[in-house]
Amino acid sequence: MSNDEPARAPQDLAGRRWLFPSALVHDLDPDTAPAGRRPRRTARDWLVDLTCFLLAVGLGFVAARALRDEPGLPHSLAVLDVVLGAVACAAVWLRRRWPVGLAVAMVVAGFASDTAGGAVMVALFTLAVHRPFRYVAWIGGIDIALIPVFYWLRPDPDLPYAGIVAFSVLLTVTVIGWGMVVRSKRQLMLSLRDRARQAESEARLRAEQAQRLAREAIAREMHDVLAHRLTLLSVHAGALEFRPDAPREEIVRAAGVIRESAHEALQDLREIIGVLRTGEADDAAGSRPQPTLAAVDALVAECREAGMKVTLDHRVTDPADVPVSVGRTAYRIAQEALTNARKHAPGTEVLLGLAGTPADGLTVTVTNAAPEAEAPPVPGSGQGLIGLTERAHLAGGRLVHGPTTDGGFEVRGWLPWGAG
């Protein structure tokens, strides 16, 4: 789902707003009503309110005609009954603003006036639609309890007492139940809306997390690849700067290493930018194969050409059987550790150890001796080791690093052989 679909939803609702109750529109889109003010009636609200008013008036008119046949009813009480019924019917227009207060008033009016019966039904229906069940239980229960008393005091001339009481109770329960069904449908719609919004939010968070993880992977790869190349450039450029009187052969060799390292760095940078542009995987067409454990020998040779004193202790059983992803992670650990040794302990002896079996896993150890002099601080130091630790954890292994007892530094990583 695109990010602009939630923004279009209120516009689609606004185009069909007249089809929905104003209370439901406000719950679905609270911005439709100003803060502190109740939502305006929609066309559907006016139609429903008019229907409820006409229903209350119609039932009140039928009850008013029946007053003439009610025995023993004084004329003044009949007039009062009709007046209360007319006021109750007019009050139906207030049902959305004060559903609880109107229901309470209608229960009292209905007990005193037979012509207010239709307005009582409308008020109870509105209460069941707009308020929780506890209000309906109390007010509706009081109204049902007053029905037997009402017909005991004013019996119906055409129907038996038990029949009219049962009919009135059944009608009241039916109206209340109908209102509760309407409320439950609205609550279901709001629940589905909330679930849809939650699903959109979760999908957006997942997309953002995937983008963040992709950016972190690209940044980690750029650091692992480019840091090594640029360090070689820095070492040889520094040698040329501080040894301008070096023999021609050394200057030519250093210039060749600088040119080759710059070419390799640019090639690596082009590949990473290509992945960013096309979204293709590492094994996309035209890209160079990723380094594996077999490339460690070339890495050591490259470091030796740069002037490092590197000793390789290779004790891996069946190197060809090491999974590709495990070998790549081991290569990156060795590459970053050697780069750090060249930056922070230049001129020291470095021991690179590789050992492992399918049962014990693969261990990579890079140890350098204490530097003769304190190396100048390098901006951003430590980020590579953080990335290596995360890379090792993603591969199911672990990585530890820290100073040794003789003042040197050691990086030790362990990877499960079966990963990949």
Side-chain angles (χ1 to χ4, degrees), residues 242-331:
F242 291 103
R243 293 284 307 278
D245 56 344
R248 176 179 177 82
E249 293 75 10
E250 292 185 10
I251 295 177
V252 171
R253 184 175 63 85
V257 173
I258 291 175
R259 179 185 59 79
E260 183 66 22
S261 299
H263 175 75
E264 295 289 338
L266 289 175
Q267 182 66 21
D268 293 332
L269 185 60
R270 289 191 189 100
E271 292 181 2
I272 295 174
I273 293 176
V275 173
L276 285 174
R277 289 177 175 175
T278 63
E280 294 176 349
D282 291 338
D283 57 353
S287 64
R288 294 179 300 173
Q290 291 294 307
T292 60
L293 191 64
V296 172
D297 294 332
L299 174 65
V300 172
E302 188 178 47
C303 293
R304 288 171 177 169
E305 289 181 2
M308 291 186 66
K309 303 174 183 178
V310 183
T311 301
L312 176 61
D313 184 12
H314 202 309
R315 299 182 181 180
V316 178
T317 304
D318 299 328
D321 294 337
V322 177
V324 176
S325 62
V326 175
R328 183 186 304 120
T329 302
Y331 177 90

Side-chain angles (χ1 to χ4, degrees), residues 104-165:
V104 172
M106 289 300 102
V107 169
V108 176
F111 184 73
S113 172
D114 195 17
T115 56
V120 174
M121 295 295 105
V122 173
L124 291 176
F125 173 79
T126 304
L127 180 67
V129 171
H130 293 279
R131 292 296 181 266
F133 177 74
R134 62 179 182 274
Y135 295 97
V136 181
W138 279 102
I139 300 176
I142 293 174
D143 182 74
I144 292 175
L146 291 176
I147 289 177
V149 180
F150 177 82
Y151 286 108
W152 179 267
L153 298 175
R154 298 179 60 177
D156 189 279
D158 299 326
L159 296 176
Y161 174 77
I164 189 62
V165 169

Side-chain angles (χ1 to χ4, degrees), residues 392-412:
H393 287 168
L394 291 176
R398 58 183 177 271
L399 185 138
V400 294
H401 52 81
T404 60
T405 56
D406 59 354
F409 197 85
E410 182 180 74
V411 176
R412 177 181 294 272

Side-chain angles (χ1 to χ4, degrees), residues 89-109:
C89 291
V92 166
W93 290 101
L94 303 176
R95 70 188 191 94
R96 297 182 186 274
R97 181 169 297 183
W98 299 299
V100 177
L102 180 64
V104 172
M106 289 300 102
V107 169
V108 176

